[in-house]
Short mmCIF file of all heavy atoms in Angstrom, two decimals:
data_model
loop_
_atom_site.label_atom_id
_atom_site.label_comp_id
_atom_site.label_asym_id
_atom_site.label_seq_id
_atom_site.Cartn_x
_atom_site.Cartn_y
_atom_site.Cartn_z
N GLY M 22 -31.79 0.36 86.91
CA GLY M 22 -30.55 -0.08 86.19
C GLY M 22 -29.76 1.13 85.82
O GLY M 22 -30.20 2.30 85.87
N PHE M 23 -28.51 0.83 85.40
CA PHE M 23 -27.56 1.90 85.11
C PHE M 23 -27.94 2.67 83.83
O PHE M 23 -28.71 2.16 82.99
CB PHE M 23 -26.19 1.27 84.92
CG PHE M 23 -25.06 2.21 85.29
CD1 PHE M 23 -24.81 2.53 86.60
CD2 PHE M 23 -24.30 2.78 84.31
CE1 PHE M 23 -23.81 3.47 86.93
CE2 PHE M 23 -23.27 3.69 84.61
CZ PHE M 23 -23.03 4.02 85.91
N MET M 24 -27.44 3.88 83.75
CA MET M 24 -27.62 4.68 82.55
C MET M 24 -27.30 3.84 81.30
O MET M 24 -26.27 3.13 81.31
CB MET M 24 -26.65 5.90 82.54
CG MET M 24 -26.86 6.86 83.63
SD MET M 24 -25.56 8.15 83.60
CE MET M 24 -24.52 7.65 84.97
N LYS M 28 -33.91 1.31 80.03
CA LYS M 28 -35.13 1.39 80.83
C LYS M 28 -36.28 2.10 80.12
O LYS M 28 -37.43 1.68 80.19
CB LYS M 28 -34.84 2.18 82.15
CG LYS M 28 -34.01 1.42 83.16
CD LYS M 28 -33.50 2.37 84.24
CE LYS M 28 -32.51 3.35 83.63
NZ LYS M 28 -31.71 4.09 84.55
N ASP M 47 -37.50 10.66 85.42
CA ASP M 47 -36.71 11.81 84.96
C ASP M 47 -37.63 12.80 84.20
O ASP M 47 -37.47 14.04 84.34
CB ASP M 47 -35.55 11.39 84.06
CG ASP M 47 -34.35 10.89 84.86
OD1 ASP M 47 -34.36 11.06 86.09
OD2 ASP M 47 -33.43 10.35 84.25
N ILE M 58 -32.55 17.87 83.03
CA ILE M 58 -31.76 17.27 84.11
C ILE M 58 -30.39 17.93 84.15
O ILE M 58 -29.86 18.25 85.24
CB ILE M 58 -31.58 15.74 83.87
CG1 ILE M 58 -32.96 15.05 83.73
CG2 ILE M 58 -30.70 15.13 84.93
CD1 ILE M 58 -33.70 14.81 84.97
N PHE M 62 -28.69 19.84 87.41
CA PHE M 62 -27.37 19.52 87.95
C PHE M 62 -26.46 20.75 87.92
O PHE M 62 -25.76 21.04 88.87
CB PHE M 62 -26.71 18.36 87.14
CG PHE M 62 -26.99 16.98 87.67
CD1 PHE M 62 -28.25 16.37 87.46
CD2 PHE M 62 -26.03 16.27 88.37
CE1 PHE M 62 -28.51 15.09 87.95
CE2 PHE M 62 -26.30 14.99 88.84
CZ PHE M 62 -27.54 14.40 88.61
N PHE M 70 -30.98 17.74 92.94
CA PHE M 70 -31.65 16.81 92.03
C PHE M 70 -32.18 15.59 92.77
O PHE M 70 -33.35 15.17 92.57
CB PHE M 70 -30.65 16.37 90.92
CG PHE M 70 -31.19 15.26 90.06
CD1 PHE M 70 -32.09 15.51 89.01
CD2 PHE M 70 -30.86 13.93 90.30
CE1 PHE M 70 -32.60 14.49 88.23
CE2 PHE M 70 -31.35 12.89 89.52
CZ PHE M 70 -32.25 13.16 88.49
N ARG M 71 -31.39 15.05 93.68
CA ARG M 71 -31.80 13.85 94.43
C ARG M 71 -33.01 14.15 95.33
O ARG M 71 -33.84 13.27 95.56
CB ARG M 71 -30.64 13.30 95.30
CG ARG M 71 -29.42 12.88 94.49
CD ARG M 71 -29.66 11.59 93.68
NE ARG M 71 -28.51 11.31 92.82
CZ ARG M 71 -28.61 10.66 91.67
NH1 ARG M 71 -29.79 10.21 91.23
NH2 ARG M 71 -27.56 10.41 90.93
N GLU M 74 -35.95 14.16 93.04
CA GLU M 74 -36.16 12.76 92.61
C GLU M 74 -36.90 11.97 93.71
O GLU M 74 -37.83 11.22 93.44
CB GLU M 74 -34.80 12.15 92.29
CG GLU M 74 -34.88 10.72 91.76
CD GLU M 74 -33.48 10.19 91.36
OE1 GLU M 74 -32.56 10.25 92.19
OE2 GLU M 74 -33.33 9.69 90.22
N THR M 91 -36.91 4.48 86.24
CA THR M 91 -36.25 5.37 87.19
C THR M 91 -34.87 5.79 86.66
O THR M 91 -34.25 5.01 85.91
CB THR M 91 -36.03 4.64 88.54
OG1 THR M 91 -35.26 3.46 88.30
CG2 THR M 91 -37.36 4.25 89.17
N GLY M 92 -34.37 6.89 87.10
CA GLY M 92 -33.02 7.30 86.77
C GLY M 92 -32.02 6.35 87.43
O GLY M 92 -32.34 5.75 88.46
N GLY M 93 -30.87 6.18 86.79
CA GLY M 93 -29.90 5.19 87.27
C GLY M 93 -29.48 5.33 88.77
O GLY M 93 -29.12 4.37 89.38
N GLY M 94 -29.56 6.55 89.28
CA GLY M 94 -29.14 6.77 90.66
C GLY M 94 -30.27 6.79 91.67
O GLY M 94 -30.06 7.02 92.87
N ARG M 131 -25.89 13.20 79.82
CA ARG M 131 -25.82 12.64 81.16
C ARG M 131 -24.76 13.38 82.00
O ARG M 131 -23.55 13.13 81.81
CB ARG M 131 -25.59 11.15 81.08
CG ARG M 131 -26.85 10.46 80.52
CD ARG M 131 -26.76 8.98 80.53
NE ARG M 131 -28.04 8.37 80.39
CZ ARG M 131 -28.49 7.74 79.29
NH1 ARG M 131 -27.79 7.75 78.20
NH2 ARG M 131 -29.67 7.19 79.32
N PRO M 132 -25.22 14.25 82.87
CA PRO M 132 -24.30 15.14 83.57
C PRO M 132 -23.20 14.43 84.35
O PRO M 132 -22.09 14.91 84.45
CB PRO M 132 -25.19 15.96 84.53
CG PRO M 132 -26.54 15.34 84.51
CD PRO M 132 -26.63 14.52 83.26
N LEU M 133 -23.51 13.23 84.88
CA LEU M 133 -22.48 12.53 85.70
C LEU M 133 -21.34 11.99 84.83
O LEU M 133 -20.32 11.60 85.35
CB LEU M 133 -23.11 11.39 86.50
CG LEU M 133 -24.07 11.87 87.60
CD1 LEU M 133 -24.76 10.69 88.27
CD2 LEU M 133 -23.36 12.69 88.66
N ARG M 150 -22.76 0.88 92.46
CA ARG M 150 -24.21 0.68 92.39
C ARG M 150 -24.64 -0.77 92.13
O ARG M 150 -25.77 -1.13 92.46
CB ARG M 150 -24.80 1.55 91.30
CG ARG M 150 -24.70 3.01 91.63
CD ARG M 150 -25.22 3.83 90.48
NE ARG M 150 -25.13 5.26 90.74
CZ ARG M 150 -25.55 6.16 89.88
NH1 ARG M 150 -26.08 5.80 88.73
NH2 ARG M 150 -25.43 7.45 90.19
C1 S3P A 201 -28.52 9.44 86.74
C2 S3P A 201 -29.11 8.88 85.66
C3 S3P A 201 -29.98 9.63 84.77
C4 S3P A 201 -30.55 10.84 85.47
C5 S3P A 201 -29.47 11.66 86.09
C6 S3P A 201 -28.70 10.85 87.12
C7 S3P A 201 -27.62 8.60 87.58
O1 S3P A 201 -31.04 8.80 84.30
O2 S3P A 201 -31.49 10.48 86.44
O3 S3P A 201 -28.62 12.10 85.07
O4 S3P A 201 -27.28 8.99 88.73
O5 S3P A 201 -27.24 7.51 87.14
P1 S3P A 201 -30.80 7.57 83.27
O6 S3P A 201 -30.41 6.36 84.02
O7 S3P A 201 -32.17 7.41 82.61
O8 S3P A 201 -29.78 8.02 82.31
#
Side-chain angles (χ1 to χ4, degrees):
F23 208 73
M24 296 175 255
K28 288 166 293 195
D47 279 351
I58 303 285
F62 269 76
F70 171 80
R71 299 290 173 208
E74 183 176 52
T91 58
R131 290 185 162 107
L133 293 174
R150 293 176 181 182

